[in-house]
Amino acid sequence: MKFPSKVLEEAVNAISSLPGIGKKTALRMVLHLVQEESNKAEKISEALIKLKSEIRQCKHCHMLADNDICNICITQSRNNGILCIVETIRDVMAIEDTSQFNGRYHILGGVISPIDGIGPDQLNIDSLIARVNTDEIKEIIMAVSPTIEGDTTIYYLSKKLKDFNIKISTIARGVAFGGDLEYADEFTLGKSINARMPYYAH
Amino acid sequence: MKFPSKVLEEAVNAISSLPGIGKKTALRMVLHLVQEESNKAEKISEALIKLKSEIRQCKHCHMLADNDICNICITQSRNNGILCIVETIRDVMAIEDTSQFNGRYHILGGVISPIDGIGPDQLNIDSLIARVNTDEIKEIIMAVSPTIEGDTTIYYLSKKLKDFNIKISTIARGVAFGGDLEYADEFTLGKSINARMPYYAH
């Protein structure tokens, strides 16, 4: 791609450094910003600078926050006895969007994956143990990816937590709502048969 | 989507104002920027500010430029006798990427489209006529979209230019390279048969 202008090229290169954005998409965005008149470029620019300078990580759960403690940890009405362990910020947002969980969260920051060089030390496990020691947690829900690495992480954590009197559960795995049995992989389908649930008519 | 942080929400909203970017994609980008450490957010921010403050429009051809005259117009070695009329900046970049054209360009800024409220007055036609009056142009290539609006624009321009001794041509229309006859629309296929070309063995 030949650029007619140096500043255009720099802007396209900067935007295309974002994940999932190629040069052509970046060019479309940049030309849109050049041509529109409502100061979108300035707004994006300001929002990004503000983001990087002001955003913090919650001291308790490692969620993104505007202050030292995140909105979820600071909410008094939530159930302190139940802790949901997830991999990422987006997992917390996804679970919050379901409105099905009213406990606390703890973000691991990933799962144990020797191939990617991620061992327990790279995850927020020490802070989890510290919370288990101080908070009165009765149940921990492991809401990590249904993968080998996720299972390894659950196993590792369950060993670490075995001396505490805490019930450990995992989120249900099975055929997704609206999914088609025919297209479910055999492992998932097998698990969903083994973990079958009693049916109650509404 | 519930956001854990106000600055995060503002950044996602700003990014998702770009064309083709939804909230989920914007969130993925913003979280990427929060987590990476090479100052990408600052670089994007600077590049956008620089873009908006420094970019100009070429006085001759309306291309984006770093100066008053764009890189193409300033190049002495190009053929002044042949002018290629296009709709947008991206069209110029696309033709330049082919390396098949060594003349000058003129960007109309669109095509005549009464439905969208775009008449000849909204296009860069006055500056085109001014160039035709002063520059020694022998041929004009109409490289606009092969649509009704494009054809209308070509017709309008050809009327405007009829008193000048200039050869007017349009880019060839036909079945695209690698395209399948079966899937070409009948209008295109009909045109490509009417405009058939003599074949020379290489």
Side-chain angles (χ1 to χ4, degrees):
Chain A
M1 201 184 273
K2 293 174 198 163
F3 289 92
S5 142
K6 198 80 195 158
V7 287
L8 183 77
E9 184 171 5
E10 284 168 9
V12 168
N13 287 340
I15 298 267
S16 67
S17 72
L18 289 168
I21 303 295
K23 292 258 163 154
K24 285 210 168 186
T25 312
L27 177 65
R28 206 179 66 218
M29 291 178 183
V30 169
L31 290 179
H32 169 85
L33 290 175
V34 167
Q35 285 159 347
E36 63 85 49
E37 279 153 20
S38 63
N39 290 336
K40 252 188 217 179
E42 288 81 352
K43 280 177 198 158
I44 292 173
S45 197
E46 277 166 30
L48 292 185
I49 290 292
K50 205 172 159 194
L51 176 79
K52 284 291 266 191
S53 60
E54 292 186 16
I55 203 134
R56 310 212 206 153
Q57 198 179 70
C58 173
K59 283 185 175 175
H60 292 162
C61 71
H62 305 279
M63 188 60 179
L64 290 183
D66 291 327
N67 305 300
D68 283 346
I69 311 296
C70 75
N71 290 342
I72 296 171
C73 287
I74 218 165
T75 306
Q76 294 283 340
S77 60
R78 294 185 79 114
N79 185 347
N80 289 321
I82 183 163
L83 187 69
C84 183
I85 295 186
V86 296
E87 291 174 45
T88 66
I89 294 152
R90 281 156 80 190
D91 294 337
V92 173
M93 291 176 71
I95 296 173
E96 281 298 285
D97 282 343
T98 69
S99 305
Q100 294 298 310
F101 181 70
N102 193 37
R104 306 288 179 182
Y105 293 95
H106 190 84
I107 299 176
L108 286 181
V111 280
I112 297 170
S113 173
I115 281 184
D116 302 315
I118 302 172
D121 294 346
Q122 273 89 57
L123 304 176
N124 300 321
I125 293 177
D126 289 346
S127 57
L128 171 67
I129 302 301
R131 286 182 80 177
V132 169
N133 271 316
T134 54
D135 303 1
E136 289 188 356
I137 295 164
K138 290 181 182 65
E139 181 178 354
I140 285 181
I141 303 176
M142 302 283 185
V144 298
S145 301
T147 57
I148 302 291
E149 290 80 10
D151 283 347
T152 308
T153 309
I154 293 174
Y155 181 77
Y156 179 88
L157 291 177
S158 70
K159 288 280 165 195
K160 277 264 184 188
L161 296 166
K162 74 177 190 315
D163 295 335
F164 299 93
N165 185 24
I166 292 173
K167 179 183 160 194
I168 293 176
S169 58
T170 66
I171 52 170
R173 296 178 186 180
V175 179
F177 194 78
D180 206 325
L181 278 206
E182 197 183 338
Y183 298 114
D185 67 289
E186 55 195 47
F187 187 77
T188 301
L189 196 54
K191 278 247 179 184
S192 78
I193 288 170
N194 284 335
R196 64 192 176 276
M197 296 160 66
Y199 177 75
Y200 302 104
H202 294 292
Chain B
M1 200 184 274
K2 293 174 196 160
F3 289 91
S5 142
K6 197 82 192 155
V7 287
L8 184 77
E9 184 170 6
E10 285 168 8
V12 168
N13 287 341
I15 297 267
S16 66
S17 72
L18 288 168
I21 302 295
K23 292 259 165 158
K24 284 209 168 183
T25 312
L27 176 65
R28 206 181 63 218
M29 291 178 185
V30 168
L31 290 179
H32 169 84
L33 290 175
V34 166
Q35 285 159 345
E36 62 85 50
E37 279 153 20
S38 62
N39 291 338
K40 255 189 217 178
E42 287 82 353
K43 280 177 197 157
I44 292 172
S45 197
E46 277 167 30
L48 292 184
I49 290 294
K50 207 174 158 193
L51 176 79
K52 285 291 263 190
S53 61
E54 293 186 15
I55 205 135
R56 310 210 206 154
Q57 201 180 67
C58 174
K59 284 185 176 173
H60 292 164
C61 71
H62 305 281
M63 186 62 180
L64 291 183
D66 291 328
N67 305 301
D68 283 346
I69 311 295
C70 76
N71 289 342
I72 295 171
C73 287
I74 217 165
T75 306
Q76 295 283 342
S77 60
R78 295 184 80 112
N79 184 348
N80 288 322
I82 183 162
L83 187 70
C84 183
I85 296 186
V86 295
E87 291 174 44
T88 66
I89 293 152
R90 280 156 80 190
D91 294 337
V92 173
M93 292 177 70
I95 295 174
E96 281 298 285
D97 282 344
T98 70
S99 304
Q100 295 296 309
F101 180 71
N102 192 37
R104 307 287 178 183
Y105 293 95
H106 190 85
I107 299 176
L108 285 181
V111 280
I112 297 170
S113 174
I115 281 185
D116 301 316
I118 301 173
D121 293 347
Q122 273 88 59
L123 305 177
N124 300 321
I125 292 176
D126 289 345
S127 56
L128 172 66
I129 302 301
R131 287 182 80 177
V132 168
N133 272 315
T134 55
D135 302 3
E136 290 188 357
I137 294 164
K138 290 181 183 65
E139 181 178 353
I140 286 181
I141 304 175
M142 303 283 187
V144 300
S145 301
T147 57
I148 302 291
E149 290 81 10
D151 283 345
T152 307
T153 309
I154 292 175
Y155 181 76
Y156 179 88
L157 290 176
S158 69
K159 289 280 168 198
K160 277 263 185 191
L161 294 167
K162 74 175 187 318
D163 295 334
F164 299 93
N165 184 24
I166 292 172
K167 180 183 160 193
I168 294 177
S169 59
T170 66
I171 52 168
R173 294 178 186 181
V175 179
F177 193 79
D180 207 324
L181 279 205
E182 198 183 339
Y183 299 113
D185 66 289
E186 54 193 51
F187 187 77
T188 301
L189 196 52
K191 279 247 181 188
S192 78
I193 288 170
N194 285 332
R196 64 191 175 278
M197 294 161 68
Y199 177 73
Y200 301 103
H202 297 291

